[in-house]
Amino acid sequence: MALAKHLAELPAGNILLIGSSGTGKTTLLRAIEGFLAADPGLAGRSTLVRIHANLLAEEAVAGRGGEAVVVRLLERAREQLGRGTAIGELVERARRGLVFVDEIDKIRAIVGGQPHLAGIRAQEALLTLIENERIPVALPESWGGGSVTLDASGLLFVGAGAFEGLYDAVYDRVTVGRDRGALREVTVVEGERLRREERFALRDWLRVEDLFDYGMTPQFLSRFESTVLLEDLGEEELLTILLDSPESPLRRAESYFESQGVRLAVSPAAARRIAAEAARQPRLGARGLAEVFRRVIREREFDPATAAVDGAVVIDLAEVEAAVA
């Protein structure tokens, strides 16, 4: 909804994405980028840039945090419109930009109980961009120098991070900390048996105060209208990624084997077992597939032709079981 409002040039609230590594934060961005690029009309309404929070922190310590983002927007607008485009037209395109800050949890204001200067400066730089409508910026010398002012009121910010340790901190709060006893056991029915277990989901217990404690300042966090928690990927989602994503380790391996004149195939049962093993490492998300698949395929990658039978290498369930044992 925020993207639709942004493209319609209506006020849209900034978004904070929280999810473990491999849950699809960057994939969502790429999907948006592809969606915009596929329609010339939409591409003309928004310039999308991605900036890593650590880079932003470095620029912020040097006093160039906000300026670095604006320059990146102008550079992206120039890529879209052409090198000869007038600066006024670049500014007009850039002012409707979508700024994706990757690993935003790296700019926390507190690390190990101590103030984190780079994180504080980076949060302040972003806050300045979000709050101020007119941002002056010096143009690169390669562009002829000079300066321009960009109206930042139309920018949409999406921050994303794994927020490592947040899950454990919230769990401790509701089990042994100040809210001890809040998490109650539930009854689970398994066939004819009943058992009691704790079921904890971060989305059910996360409070804004937990993010303050993590190191996101109240002034900064208040500028994000929506906080979206991404679920860890389960077996079915991982199986879909393994079989359908062009970037999956299986598809990359197929391309490699094909380049060696060998066809690679994985049986349905073997593919599901790979996904099930990857699901046992929920903090890795889709990256867990690559780790599991590497263990399965590594012996055959050295010499695909030798491993092939009648020009093909077929991975079955027994081979996966042996590899992950």
Side-chain angles (χ1 to χ4, degrees):
M1 182 58 70
L3 178 62
K5 290 180 179 179
H6 176 70
L7 293 174
E9 300 196 15
L10 298 172
N14 301 313
I15 302 168
L16 180 64
L17 298 177
I18 298 177
S20 300
S21 176
T23 51
K25 300 181 295 294
T26 302
T27 299
L28 284 173
L29 171 74
R30 289 173 178 167
I32 292 171
E33 192 168 19
F35 172 72
L36 295 175
D39 187 324
L42 294 179
R45 298 185 195 176
S46 184
T47 295
L48 187 152
V49 297
R50 179 172 60 179
I51 185 166
H52 194 283
N54 283 336
L55 175 60
L56 179 62
E58 292 174 6
E59 295 286 354
V61 169
R64 301 187 300 267
E67 185 172 334
V69 174
V70 174
V71 169
R72 185 74 64 88
L73 284 165
L74 291 171
E75 289 174 342
R76 180 61 180 143
R78 196 183 192 203
E79 291 174 5
Q80 292 177 323
L81 298 174
R83 297 177 62 85
T85 305
I87 189 62
E89 193 172 347
L90 297 181
V91 171
E92 180 63 22
R93 172 68 68 90
R95 75 175 186 85
R96 296 298 308 167
L98 192 160
V99 181
F100 183 87
V101 184
D102 203 5
E103 298 199 29
I104 199 169
D105 50 317
K106 298 297 189 293
I107 58 171
R108 58 200 297 188
I110 302 170
V111 176
Q114 299 297 319
H116 179 218
L117 178 60
I120 293 171
R121 293 279 180 83
Q123 288 191 41
E124 290 174 345
L126 279 176
L127 191 59
T128 298
L129 270 179
I130 295 171
E131 288 188 330
N132 290 353
E133 294 188 356
R134 299 180 64 79
I135 306 295
V137 59
L139 296 173
E141 289 299 326
S142 60
W143 293 22
S147 63
V148 296
T149 299
L150 183 137
D151 178 0
S153 62
L155 299 179
L156 176 63
F157 291 84
V158 178
F163 287 80
E164 292 291 343
L166 180 63
Y167 180 101
D168 295 333
V170 176
Y171 181 79
D172 288 347
R173 171 172 62 76
V174 300
T175 55
V176 298
R178 62 180 180 267
D179 294 326
R180 180 174 53 194
L183 182 63
R184 303 296 179 86
E185 290 185 339
V186 297
T187 301
V188 179
V189 180
E190 292 182 341
E192 298 180 354
R193 291 185 175 185
L194 299 178
R195 62 181 176 84
R196 303 281 292 176
E197 70 174 31
E198 288 183 344
R199 288 189 174 179
F200 175 82
L202 183 60
R203 68 171 58 252
D204 296 332
W205 296 97
L206 181 66
R207 297 176 180 171
V208 68
E209 292 83 0
D210 296 314
L211 294 172
F212 296 160
D213 292 341
Y214 191 85
M216 312 312 288
T217 64
Q219 301 92 326
F220 178 72
L221 198 59
S222 66
R223 298 308 185 272
F224 288 83
E225 182 176 289
S226 302
T227 299
V228 180
L229 275 69
L230 302 182
E231 297 282 359
D232 290 336
L233 301 180
E235 180 180 325
E236 293 300 326
E237 292 83 7
L238 290 168
L239 180 61
T240 298
I241 292 170
L242 179 66
L243 297 178
D244 296 343
S245 171
E247 299 299 320
S248 80
L250 172 59
R251 298 306 173 214
R252 292 198 298 268
E254 286 175 339
S255 296
Y256 167 69
F257 275 69
E258 185 179 351
S259 72
Q260 303 299 307
V262 176
R263 181 175 66 86
L264 174 65
V266 177
S267 74
R272 179 166 289 280
R273 182 65 182 89
I274 291 169
E277 184 67 19
R280 295 177 60 188
Q281 308 175 72
R283 299 290 180 90
L284 290 181
R287 292 183 177 90
L289 285 173
E291 192 275 332
V292 174
F293 191 77
R294 179 187 59 79
R295 289 152 60 189
V296 173
I297 201 70
R298 59 188 172 189
E299 297 298 331
R300 295 169 177 80
E301 282 187 316
F302 290 110
D303 193 348
T306 300
V309 176
D310 295 330
V313 170
V314 180
I315 307 296
D316 61 19
L317 177 59
E319 291 176 277
V320 176
E321 293 285 6
V324 302

